[in-house]
Amino acid sequence: IMQEEIFGPVLPIVKMDSVEGMIDHINAGEKPLAMYIFGPEAAADRIIARTSSGGVCVNDTVYHILNPDLPFGGVGGSGIGRYHGKWGF
């Protein structure tokens, strides 16, 4: 698990000892299609500011794909572009 993109009902959980460790871990690999951050909003803001992914949820898992008013899509190897709402055009 987590050697390639996961397309299925699996949510890997990676616990880190520090925000800096999490940022380094994320930036060491390919850009993820989606990133789910659980923790204080201040820490999530730091992670979001220093990483890149297709979408991000903080203390949630599916809101960004279920809400038709928010864009969804990948960056880099996870795909280019967005769909949902006006972002799909």
Side-chain angles (χ1 to χ4, degrees):
I1 295 181
M2 296 181 56
Q3 301 300 312
E4 296 180 11
E5 279 190 302
I6 300 168
F7 295 99
V10 176
L11 179 64
I13 297 172
V14 179
K15 182 179 178 188
M16 304 298 285
D17 292 326
S18 70
V19 172
E20 293 303 317
M22 180 57 70
I23 291 168
D24 292 343
H25 176 78
I26 295 165
N27 288 333
E30 296 290 325
K31 294 179 181 187
L33 175 61
M35 183 166 44
Y36 308 100
I37 303 169
F38 291 88
E41 284 191 40
D45 288 343
R46 286 175 48 206
I47 294 169
I48 293 166
R50 296 186 48 207
T51 62
S52 176
S53 65
V56 178
C57 278
V58 178
N59 296 321
D60 199 292
T61 56
V62 295
Y63 189 75
H64 69 294
I65 184 133
L66 293 179
N67 186 331
D69 296 322
L70 295 176
F72 183 82
V75 294
S78 290
I80 298 173
R82 301 273 188 248
Y83 65 91
H84 283 186
K86 67 181 181 184
W87 293 276
F89 294 98

